[in-house]
Amino acid sequence: MEERISGHTGLLALFGSPVGHSGSPAMYNYSFKRLGLDYVYVAIDIKEHEVKEAISAMRLFRMRGCNVTMPDKAEAAKYMDELSPAAQIIGAVNTIVNEDGRLIGHMTDGEGFVNNLKDHGVEVAGKKMVIAGGGGAATAMQVQSALDGVRELTIFNKKDAFFERTLATAEKIRAAVPQIAVQVYDIDDVDRMTEEIRSADIFANATIVGMKPMDDQSVVKDLSAFRPGLVVCDAVYNPEETRLLREAAEAGCICVGGKGMLLWQGVAAFKLYTGQDMPVDEVKERFFS
């Protein structure tokens, strides 16, 4: 690494907390080296209340850009000079590009989610999908799935101070895609969640439940919700096999892990940073096989 860092090397980073487990630095740095690009990518633990300062530092250090992960995505959107259309609808960013001092916020999580499913032979068009979560990644998954043609979308989120935001997201989706049926329920309503998953084609966890240090937990409490043929996917990618995926697999479900979502959202972000295509096949074989 030190052999290719110079006084001109551009800095990119991952902002979020926790980030020590992230596979992003390895993926991006390999791709930079493979394509001969003079950038380096690091992970920096940034709590939500530190986001404003982090964005100011990004400007000061003239960083080329950064990825943003939980819990910072919505907060980071507040400090952008411009938002992409998807980021505007979602109200959060996961990719920031510094264009000569002008910070442009993008949201590639939804694209990563849908393309990860496609990579596993699963199309979202015409399907009923249930998604747990109402944060930045969850909203991106919901919006992109709706735009890509899901027939019905059921969202479960914690009935807390942010529940109204989930209801507002549902209204935005209905406005953008009038033909879709969208429902929102309390994630603590186990009976309702079980019933909805039983009638779904795809279930996705977009909460932090299952991520370290909560890797002994699952967002699905009643395992009778699972059945053979149900597609179960998890946005969590560390651990690679979450409790949710393990229990779903035991019930005969088709399981899709979160590492592929990380790959495909990274492919989109890489293009935004560099204007070049990430060597996807090599990255997949090296880091995701």
Side-chain angles (χ1 to χ4, degrees):
M1 176 69 74
E2 65 276 6
E3 294 176 357
R4 68 179 188 87
I5 294 178
S6 71
H8 300 286
T9 301
L11 176 63
L12 295 107
L14 172 67
F15 291 168
S17 184
V19 293
H21 64 279
S22 176
S24 293
M27 177 177 71
Y28 281 103
N29 287 316
Y30 172 82
S31 298
F32 294 148
K33 184 176 181 180
R34 175 68 179 79
L35 298 179
L37 299 173
D38 194 11
Y39 294 111
V40 67
Y41 187 107
V42 298
I44 305 174
D45 196 294
I46 301 292
K47 306 293 191 294
E48 191 172 7
H49 69 275
E50 300 171 321
V51 169
K52 185 177 181 179
E53 288 182 274
I55 299 299
S56 295
M58 185 179 176
R59 296 181 190 272
L60 178 64
F61 296 155
R62 297 178 179 83
M63 293 171 61
R64 172 56 182 154
C66 76
N67 288 117
V68 185
T69 190
M70 295 180 286
D72 298 344
K73 297 179 182 184
E75 184 68 14
K78 299 176 183 178
Y79 308 107
M80 297 296 98
D81 298 306
E82 182 182 337
L83 293 171
S84 71
Q88 285 182 352
I89 294 171
I90 295 162
V93 300
N94 79 324
T95 302
I96 302 171
V97 182
N98 187 346
E99 299 288 4
D100 297 319
R102 184 172 178 78
L103 301 186
I104 304 174
H106 300 263
M107 176 55 78
T108 67
D109 279 338
E111 184 178 346
F113 171 66
V114 171
N115 286 338
N116 186 32
L117 285 174
K118 287 181 180 178
D119 203 32
H120 287 80
V122 179
E123 297 287 342
V124 302
K127 305 293 178 56
K128 175 178 177 177
M129 181 181 293
V130 176
I131 297 182
T139 306
M141 292 158 65
Q142 293 154 14
V143 169
Q144 193 66 49
S145 296
L147 292 174
D148 283 7
V150 292
R151 180 187 80 255
E152 184 176 347
L153 181 63
T154 304
I155 303 167
F156 284 88
N157 196 25
K158 197 87 173 164
K159 204 160 190 179
D160 56 14
F162 299 103
F163 193 73
E164 289 298 321
R165 187 173 67 186
T166 307
L167 294 174
T169 297
E171 283 302 317
K172 290 178 182 178
I173 292 172
R174 292 187 191 104
V177 191
Q179 66 270 26
I180 191 174
V182 186
Q183 298 89 27
V184 179
Y185 299 110
D186 182 359
I187 202 169
D188 291 327
D189 188 343
V190 175
D191 290 342
R192 171 66 71 176
M193 190 170 182
T194 302
E195 179 183 337
E196 290 296 320
I197 296 173
R198 282 175 180 168
S199 63
D201 300 294
I202 302 169
F203 171 72
N205 173 45
T207 74
I208 60 173
V209 177
M211 179 187 292
K212 294 181 179 181
M214 293 185 288
D215 48 325
D216 61 336
Q217 301 177 40
S218 170
V219 72
V220 175
K221 307 303 181 186
D222 185 346
L223 300 187
S224 70
F226 296 141
R227 68 180 191 281
L230 173 69
V231 177
V232 177
C233 37
D234 204 329
V236 174
Y237 59 87
N238 192 303
E240 187 170 345
E241 184 184 58
T242 59
R243 178 177 173 180
L244 169 70
L245 294 181
R246 183 172 64 254
E247 292 177 340
E250 289 170 354
C253 299
I254 300 166
C255 294
V256 180
K259 287 185 77 174
M261 182 175 169
L262 170 68
L263 167 65
W264 289 105
Q265 66 81 23
V267 168
F270 190 88
K271 184 79 169 184
L272 291 169
Y273 295 142
T274 69
Q276 297 192 34
D277 294 321
M278 180 183 284
V280 179
D281 291 339
E282 294 177 38
V283 169
K284 187 188 295 186
E285 181 178 355
R286 191 177 184 94
F287 300 104
F288 296 89
S289 58

